[in-house]
Amino acid sequence: MSQRRWIRRLLIGLGLVCLLAFGAWFPGMGRSQTPSHIAMGTGGAVASVDERATQIGLEVLRTGGNAVDAAVATAAALGVTDPFSAGIGGGGFMLIYRPESDTVITLDGREEAPATVKPDLFRDPDSDAGENLPFFPNRISSGLAVGVPGTPLNWATALERYGTRSLADSLEPAIALAESGFTVDETFASQIERNQERFAAFTSTRDLYLPEGDVPPVGSQFRNPDIAATYRRLATEGVNDFYRGEIAQAIAQTVQAPPVVEVPPFTVWPGDMTTGDLDRYEVRVRLPVKSIYRGYQIYGMGLPSSGGITVAQTLKLLEGFDLGEMEPAAALHWLIEAERLAFSDRNAYLGDPEYVDAPLAGLLNDDYLAERRSQLPSTAPVDVANFRAIAGNPLPYQRDPSPSLTQPPEVSQTYEPGGISTTHLTVVDGDGMAVSYTLTLESTGGSGIVVPGYGFILNNELTDFNLDVPHPNVPEAGKRPRSSMAPTIALAPDGSLLAFGSPGGSTIITTVLNIAVNLIDFDFGLDEAIAAPRLSQRNSGITLVDQGFELTELGSSLLSQGHQLTTAKEIGAATGIIVNSEGMAMAVAEPVRRGGGSALALP
Ligand code: GLU
């Protein structure tokens, strides 16, 4: 049996072991294990974390809408059924493949810092030592953390440029869903439960999500008439109302004076976003990051997301190794070490391109990559628990004589915990247009602050900034915090198209890498590539793995090579679609993670 087949069997077997032995620990396991996480058809397909949202997207395709129309309708529905991960109070990045021009467009709808923001954004004014406010709960549940939301303008821009339907039409199904209500499932209830203390601190959030003072029971009906009215307002007044009208005023007021209960359980710091900040917001159409990996053209999201660049850099480092022909543990070792090096560069150099001259050409330069590849260790670094890879110096490889670019910056190598928020949806239509869209509020439940009377939660995206100066990702006025979101589209040498992505904070990057390597190097089907166990190395002592993985033969093999493994409850909740050269699409969502997702296709 070839090594490729061996690793395929081993990982799929492992996936099964992890699911059977530890499935009970996955959120929502045993509840909505829908058999509809895989679907095939030639008329278009949708995959998202939620069946109701996927159905809405599919209905748009069935009635003649294109992939962008369906993606926006699906996202709007997720703002109702998955409001703790996605919604108009947040931001995101959308990749669109246009078959007529064979091009990939990227839309940057990332949140933006208000005009008063400075590097000391989260400094505790009462700390003589100049310390920052505690991350939880003060930073994440504050007006300070709220960035100007990009999602509504992202939808409007995508529809105007590449869609066929109006924003009003695209919001209609979600309005109906919010008005008529939907059944509370375990994911919805558990996300409220996890946030109960924060949500109870705000009158608006408490009233909406803790009716009768408690988490709505699984199986009960949930309605959100306020978000229905807000969507309807956007439909009639246009997206301008969100940035320049009544909704803009309500957002600025909420950020400046969060609606806290009489005796809040923690201090809630206000921010100072103004209507001027909302007025200035724009969605940016950007070039994708393109790389070639073993003949596949990989398109990813560029800055301010680090996603596309770090995925591309890791893959290019791996191109020096024939992973498919190696023993499985050896292949995964190189994946871990390539991720570690790529993350050291990401952490040192990447930030909002409007503010930072990030050395992208150098980072993806073949000679620089060869130098970095030669630094990959053949076994885990000695004292791996305390080991941090040092960023390389791509600047001399830029062929840029600018004197300011001759020295690498000195920055701290911060470790970011992997989040479990955010959501990714994938759509293709019958004409071959594809959308890969990741959107977020940052934490699950964002800032925890519902805009009173408008039914949506504000993000806390500004916690994605780095606070140790100097750093390319330090908070600044008008700047977008560096993201890890990595919606991906790939064109295979055999003419098929792949679109996929995932939530998960900085583990988004490693989840996308797991899926890409599973598909390209290990010959997995897309369903197997998504269901397989994941591991995530982000330049820290530990490598995060799915529960159960560390007890397997492959896990012990990595441990015996000196790697340190720690388990995580959830690494990503991916969706993806592959369309072969004959136009047959296979849409795939998670079978188990985050309660299982939903894929549907038109015949
Ligand atoms: N704020 C994160 C980012 O943009 C996404 C949040 C998450 O997925 O947990 O990278």
Side-chain angles (χ1 to χ4, degrees):
M1 184 167 35
S2 81
Q3 301 285 4
R4 243 170 231 270
R5 294 217 174 285
W6 184 16
I7 191 158
R8 185 156 176 263
R9 287 210 179 158
L10 202 57
L11 274 175
I12 293 165
L14 269 185
L16 216 62
V17 170
C18 292
L19 296 190
L20 290 176
F22 302 94
W25 295 353
F26 281 94
M29 174 70 183
R31 184 232 351 148
S32 63
Q33 265 205 76
T34 156
S36 64
H37 68 271
I38 303 175
M40 294 181 75
T42 54
V46 184
S48 84
V49 292
D50 185 82
E51 200 171 355
R52 296 148 296 200
T54 298
Q55 268 162 0
I56 282 175
L58 198 79
E59 185 58 17
V60 172
L61 294 179
R62 201 187 60 74
T63 53
N66 74 8
V68 169
D69 303 329
V72 172
T74 306
L78 288 172
V80 176
T81 58
D82 198 19
F84 314 114
S85 302
I88 55 174
F93 298 105
M94 190 186 289
L95 260 64
I96 303 170
Y97 174 72
R98 303 173 73 209
E100 66 277 19
S101 52
D102 195 25
T103 49
V104 174
I105 308 289
T106 80
L107 295 181
D108 166 6
R110 182 69 162 168
E111 298 90 332
E112 194 166 281
T116 51
V117 164
K118 296 193 179 68
D120 64 359
L121 174 63
F122 291 114
R123 188 73 46 82
D124 181 350
D126 297 329
S127 157
D128 294 337
E131 279 171 20
N132 289 312
L133 297 168
F135 185 77
F136 180 91
N138 305 86
R139 262 187 261 166
I140 68 162
S141 314
S142 70
L144 292 172
V146 182
V148 176
T151 292
L153 195 59
N154 213 2
W155 294 352
T157 307
L159 290 170
E160 222 168 82
R161 285 177 173 248
Y162 310 110
T164 67
R165 297 201 171 161
S166 65
L167 183 62
D169 286 345
S170 306
L171 293 174
E172 202 47 53
I175 294 172
L177 183 62
E179 269 171 355
S180 59
F182 56 92
T183 307
V184 170
D185 62 20
E186 272 183 37
T187 305
F188 189 89
S190 70
Q191 290 183 342
I192 298 179
E193 197 176 350
R194 217 177 316 140
N195 278 297
Q196 198 159 354
E197 192 197 1
R198 294 199 307 136
F199 285 4
F202 303 101
T203 52
S204 50
T205 318
R206 177 198 63 193
D207 294 350
L208 181 59
Y209 290 120
L210 295 166
E212 336 245 331
D214 215 341
V215 179
V218 173
S220 64
Q221 283 300 109
F222 189 87
R223 295 174 63 248
N224 186 346
D226 285 350
I227 191 68
T230 303
Y231 278 179
R232 187 157 281 135
R233 220 187 139 76
L234 290 176
T236 52
E237 305 293 313
V239 74
N240 221 13
D241 193 71
F242 191 95
Y243 293 94
R244 292 171 191 97
E246 185 188 294
I247 306 176
Q249 278 168 18
I251 293 172
Q253 200 179 327
T254 307
V255 172
Q256 290 173 26
V260 283
V261 295
E262 220 165 284
V263 189
F266 53 88
T267 307
V268 175
W269 296 84
D272 39 26
M273 183 187 295
T274 63
T275 50
D277 293 313
L278 285 137
D279 182 34
R280 271 189 296 277
Y281 186 81
E282 57 187 34
V283 160
R284 303 205 169 116
V285 182
R286 298 187 186 276
L287 282 175
V289 173
K290 184 183 173 189
S291 58
I292 311 280
Y293 180 63
R294 304 199 203 278
Y296 285 69
Q297 298 172 52
I298 314 268
Y299 294 91
M301 187 67 221
L303 294 173
S305 185
S306 61
I309 297 150
T310 309
V311 165
Q313 207 195 356
T314 311
L315 290 177
K316 294 307 281 184
L317 289 172
L318 289 173
E319 223 169 20
F321 306 89
D322 194 352
L323 301 185
E325 292 305 319
M326 280 179 194
E327 204 189 306
L332 294 183
H333 163 78
W334 292 119
L335 176 59
I336 289 172
E337 293 308 327
E339 287 179 350
R340 199 194 303 276
L341 273 202
F343 264 84
S344 71
D345 284 350
R346 165 202 182 263
N347 297 347
Y349 292 108
L350 303 184
D352 183 340
E354 252 68 53
Y355 290 70
V356 175
D357 198 357
L360 298 192
L363 289 171
L364 297 174
N365 173 283
D366 284 340
D367 295 335
Y368 176 68
L369 288 163
E371 180 195 310
R372 290 296 265 167
R373 201 177 292 123
S374 72
Q375 294 163 0
L376 291 173
S378 56
T379 54
V382 178
D383 190 19
V384 70
N386 299 309
F387 181 82
R388 300 289 179 278
I390 305 293
N393 184 2
L395 303 175
Y397 296 87
Q398 297 247 108
R399 296 183 184 87
D400 179 343
S402 154
S404 65
L405 286 180
T406 52
Q407 288 300 317
E410 278 192 25
V411 300
S412 60
Q413 298 285 316
T414 45
Y415 172 64
E416 301 151 49
I420 56 166
S421 46
T422 312
T423 196
H424 181 83
L425 63 97
T426 318
V427 182
V428 298
D429 63 28
D431 294 328
M433 182 185 231
V435 174
S436 187
Y437 182 25
T438 314
L439 61 162
T440 187
L441 299 176
E442 179 13 45
S443 303
T444 302
S447 64
I449 310 172
V450 167
V451 179
Y454 291 85
F456 66 92
I457 302 176
L458 291 170
N459 69 83
N460 57 355
E461 213 71 51
L462 304 192
T463 57
D464 272 0
F465 280 124
N466 286 67
L467 302 181
D468 301 331
V469 283
H471 194 285
N473 186 39
V474 69
E476 291 182 73
K479 195 174 180 181
R480 300 182 179 199
R482 184 188 63 203
S483 169
S484 301
M485 290 189 274
T488 303
I489 290 181
L491 303 178
D494 70 358
S496 44
L497 175 143
L498 285 151
F500 56 99
S502 175
S506 52
T507 68
I508 291 172
I509 294 170
T510 55
T511 290
V512 163
L513 283 163
N514 275 151
I515 295 172
V517 165
N518 286 347
L519 287 166
I520 299 171
D521 291 287
F522 304 149
D523 260 352
F524 283 26
L526 182 60
D527 51 334
E528 299 160 337
I530 284 180
R534 296 195 179 124
L535 47 79
S536 175
Q537 169 53 244
R538 290 158 294 143
N539 199 18
S540 85
I542 53 124
T543 297
L544 220 56
V545 292
D546 277 324
Q547 284 177 355
F549 183 90
E550 79 289 6
L551 303 177
T552 62
E553 205 185 306
L554 195 46
S556 6
S557 197
L558 287 172
L559 286 168
S560 67
Q561 283 183 47
H563 290 288
Q564 203 166 83
L565 309 179
T566 298
T567 57
K569 257 192 181 169
E570 181 186 296
I571 307 180
T575 65
I577 299 181
I578 180 165
V579 188
N580 71 15
S581 54
E582 265 103 65
M584 173 57 76
M586 181 203 239
V588 181
E590 295 283 354
V592 174
R593 294 182 182 97
R594 207 176 283 188
S598 158
L600 293 170
L602 292 170

